[in-house]
Amino acid sequence: MKKILHIISSPKTESSHSLQLGRSIIERLQTVYPGSTVTENKLTDTAFPHLSQDQLTSIFTPEENRTAANKEALRRSDEVINQLLDADIIVIGAPMYNFGIPSSLKAWIDHIVRSGVTFRYDEKGATGMLQDKQVFLAVTSGMLYSEGPLQSLNFVTPHLKAVLGFVGITDITVVHAEGINLPHIKEAALEKALNEMTIAAAV
Ligand SMILES: Cc1cc2nc3c(=O)[nH]c(=O)nc-3n(C[C@H](O)[C@H](O)[C@H](O)COP(=O)(O)O)c2cc1C
């Protein structure tokens, strides 16, 4: 039994491809880990603001010196970090927007990557502090990136892998349903991506 956290970054509701892909991944995980619990966090429901001066000041104020206002500025960041710390498996829905991730997901990242909390600076440079977490990326894109002329323009997967690796998460399975907007591919795209996924990595 695992605690699964589903991060949803598409603003769309049930028609969202990345939402459907994420939920299908979770269904498969639940067959491997019966009784697993699922928490969904739809980022666009309560969108994070861009990082503000107040938040940055609070982040770099030592915990023992933080005022009530500093603590309030960090409240939402604390909430999502605690959600992350509590999860065993994180499924991140990431539709490709303009070759990268949606701004809702970028804002979430800016609030979970925190010095002294999810990574620390040290003599090696920086060390991630999140351990024993497993991530599944539910990536969807309108066009094809595994082959062809757009191959070098997929900034979704490398970016997410880099950021997650920075906070210590290296067990990452990418499930990319590509060609969602191409008439000859769209029907089969989700199914193909799921069939290529190996859950063995999750055990
Ligand atoms: C604002 C916007 C930007 C997009 N940019 C790209 C892109 O750069 N490359 C691409 O292949 N598809 C792009 N798409 C298509 C989406 O990646 C695709 O439809 C995806 O399945 C959307 O996921 P969702 O249904 O979960 O929102 C874009 C779609 C939108 C709405």
Side-chain angles (χ1 to χ4, degrees):
M1 181 191 147
K2 302 279 183 190
K3 287 191 241 179
I4 302 172
L5 172 63
H6 188 186
I7 300 295
I8 300 160
S9 66
S10 173
K12 285 159 64 179
T13 53
E14 297 303 309
S15 66
S16 159
H17 294 112
S18 55
L19 175 67
Q20 290 167 22
L21 184 62
R23 286 192 177 149
S24 299
I25 292 169
I26 290 169
E27 268 173 33
R28 294 196 180 192
L29 286 168
Q30 283 175 317
T31 63
V32 178
Y33 304 112
S36 292
T37 59
V38 182
T39 303
E40 285 192 348
N41 184 352
K42 184 165 167 65
L43 300 177
T44 55
D45 279 354
T46 46
F48 286 98
H50 292 168
L51 280 175
S52 65
Q53 171 71 65
D54 281 352
Q55 284 162 333
L56 291 175
T57 303
S58 307
I59 287 170
F60 294 105
T61 301
E63 199 166 346
E64 61 277 14
N65 297 339
R66 280 186 195 140
T67 63
N70 290 152
K71 288 179 187 157
E72 178 55 24
L74 292 180
R75 186 176 53 81
R76 294 218 34 224
S77 169
D78 289 340
E79 277 170 15
V80 278
I81 288 175
N82 287 336
Q83 213 175 35
L84 205 52
L85 290 173
D86 193 45
D88 304 303
I89 301 177
I90 303 118
V91 176
I92 301 178
M96 180 182 285
Y97 274 13
N98 304 313
F99 306 111
I101 57 175
S103 56
S104 60
L105 188 54
K106 177 61 168 63
W108 179 80
I109 287 170
D110 288 344
H111 285 79
I112 59 134
V113 179
R114 247 169 74 185
S115 164
V117 184
T118 53
F119 77 95
R120 63 172 172 273
Y121 293 110
D122 55 23
E123 58 288 343
K124 286 185 278 179
T127 300
M129 294 166 71
L130 296 181
Q131 281 161 1
D132 304 324
K133 306 280 178 210
Q134 186 174 28
V135 165
F136 287 79
L137 299 179
V139 180
T140 55
S141 59
M143 297 178 286
L144 295 179
Y145 296 85
S146 61
E147 57 185 52
L150 300 179
Q151 234 171 345
S152 64
L153 296 182
N154 173 8
F155 297 103
V156 175
T157 312
H159 182 210
L160 289 174
K161 279 185 166 177
V163 167
L164 293 165
F166 188 73
V167 294
I169 301 174
T170 52
D171 187 347
I172 301 169
T173 302
V174 180
V175 186
H176 185 168
E178 56 177 354
I180 292 274
N181 292 348
L182 302 177
H184 59 296
I185 291 179
K186 80 198 241 188
E187 297 304 330
L190 289 192
E191 202 52 40
K192 181 172 181 290
L194 282 167
N195 287 340
E196 286 168 3
M197 172 176 102
T198 75
I199 283 233
V203 185

